[in-house]
Amino acid sequence: MTRVILCCSGKGGVGKTTLSANLAVALAELGQDVIVVDGNLGTPDLGMHLGLTFAPNTIHDVIKRRKRLQSAIYPHPLGFRVIPGSLKFRDVLDVDFDALPEVTLNLLGRADFIIVDCSAGLGPNTLAGIRAADEVLLVTNPNLPAVTEALKTLKLINAEGKKVLGVVLNRVGKEGDLKKEQVEELLEAPVVAEIPEDVNVPRSIAVRKPVVAYRPRARAALEIRDLAYELCGEKPPERKGFWVSLVERLLRLFGR
Ligand code: ADP
Ligand code: MG
């Protein structure tokens, strides 16, 4: 059965595209068949996060009925498939958001997971994204303005009757931020991942390779991988502390 999971948020710039791109990599590593879709039809940039250099057909072409869906699905070297958005000004200017659910509907049965990267806020793009999915990951940064906006989006998700898989806290670890328990109390939803603030994320975006593949041992990568295990219903492997794994690696190096 295909699971359609939306990554959405209240505030913009909290890490939806980073999560979508990296979940695609991590789920593919776990042997899942994944299609990641740029459902942020107004400001699409998933292709950039993924280093997709040649993609003449986009979700915008499909929605505008200029191209067939199949022709906008590209294989990615990291083992999943991508439907990118258009970078052309005209394409994003007059796009029918309401056509997004039809796109995911037509993808059912073609993969194990359809990950949809979405827009922020409560506008028509977000509403269409929610309608296009069965399950939702609500991404937020752990600060009061972001969580307040997340609460509004959560109300929209609930009003549409969609299943909230949980809240993904991204960029965790900054001074003065809310704690996991505080976010859970405010949103009345479980926090399913806490992705730390990690300089490897902007570095990975700069080289257009998701951090899970760019720096597999980076703390942000490990946390996203754990979430991928959980989405597959598997227990993430236990993480060893830095010193324990260093000693183990040294012992291996010396043949012990
Ligand atoms: P959204 O899709 O919600 O607008 P992005 O995924 O594009 O957000 O992330 C916005 C920016 O935040 C990225 O360009 C990146 O530099 C930064 N960022 C995201 N996650 C992290 C993280 N865990 N650590 C450090 N920087 C991050
Ligand atoms: Mg984005």
Side-chain angles (χ1 to χ4, degrees):
M1 199 189 76
T2 307
R3 290 175 67 183
V4 185
I5 300 180
L6 182 78
C7 296
C8 74
S9 71
K11 233 174 163 353
V14 293
K16 296 175 295 295
T17 310
T18 302
L19 181 69
S20 305
N22 280 283
L23 269 184
V25 181
L27 287 166
E29 278 178 1
L30 295 178
Q32 301 295 318
D33 193 358
V34 183
I35 303 177
V36 61
V37 180
D38 200 337
N40 188 345
L41 301 170
T43 47
D45 64 355
L46 178 69
M48 260 186 267
H49 279 247
L50 291 171
L52 207 68
T53 42
F54 182 73
N57 300 345
T58 65
I59 189 166
H60 291 84
D61 295 309
V62 175
I63 287 176
K64 287 167 193 266
R65 305 198 184 279
R66 293 192 295 235
K67 299 282 175 193
R68 292 177 66 84
L69 178 59
Q70 189 56 39
S71 74
I73 308 178
Y74 295 89
H76 190 280
L78 291 170
F80 53 91
R81 287 170 287 165
V82 197
I83 303 184
S86 171
L87 298 173
K88 290 186 201 136
F89 178 66
R90 262 220 66 79
D91 282 348
V92 300
L93 208 55
D94 59 342
V95 60
D96 177 17
F97 301 117
D98 294 340
L100 195 52
E102 196 188 318
V103 174
T104 55
L105 190 68
N106 287 329
L107 290 172
L108 294 181
R110 298 205 202 185
D112 300 318
F113 284 91
I114 311 289
I115 304 291
V116 185
D117 181 26
C118 195
S119 56
L122 302 168
N125 193 164
T126 306
L127 185 59
I130 294 168
R131 289 181 175 160
D134 307 313
E135 303 170 280
V136 181
L137 287 169
L138 183 61
V139 188
T140 184
N141 297 148
N143 58 57
L144 207 49
V147 173
T148 308
E149 291 304 312
L151 184 57
K152 294 181 200 158
T153 303
L154 187 61
K155 291 210 161 115
L156 191 63
I157 301 162
N158 287 334
E160 288 296 312
K162 296 302 165 98
K163 182 177 174 186
V164 180
L165 286 171
V167 178
V168 174
L169 284 185
N170 187 32
R171 310 193 73 164
V172 171
K174 293 203 195 117
E175 213 180 296
D177 274 350
L178 296 166
K179 301 270 166 289
K180 175 187 174 185
E181 294 72 25
Q182 292 174 304
V183 175
E184 288 182 328
E185 205 178 309
L186 284 166
L187 295 178
E188 294 177 0
V191 167
V192 290
E194 287 184 276
I195 306 169
E197 172 75 20
D198 188 336
V199 69
N200 290 297
V201 173
R203 280 182 190 153
S204 71
I205 294 170
V207 298
R208 313 212 295 169
K209 188 172 184 181
V211 68
V212 166
Y214 172 71
R215 287 281 180 274
R217 303 293 305 161
R219 290 185 313 129
L222 294 174
E223 190 62 31
I224 294 168
R225 209 176 284 114
D226 282 0
L227 177 59
Y229 272 105
E230 265 153 40
L231 290 177
C232 296
E234 288 176 39
K235 205 169 162 295
E238 223 172 281
R239 272 191 236 156
K240 292 173 188 151
F242 173 77
W243 291 109
V244 174
S245 61
L246 181 69
V247 169
E248 274 185 7
R249 265 182 282 159
L250 286 172
L251 286 174
R252 263 204 309 275
L253 194 67
F254 294 111
R256 305 267 168 126

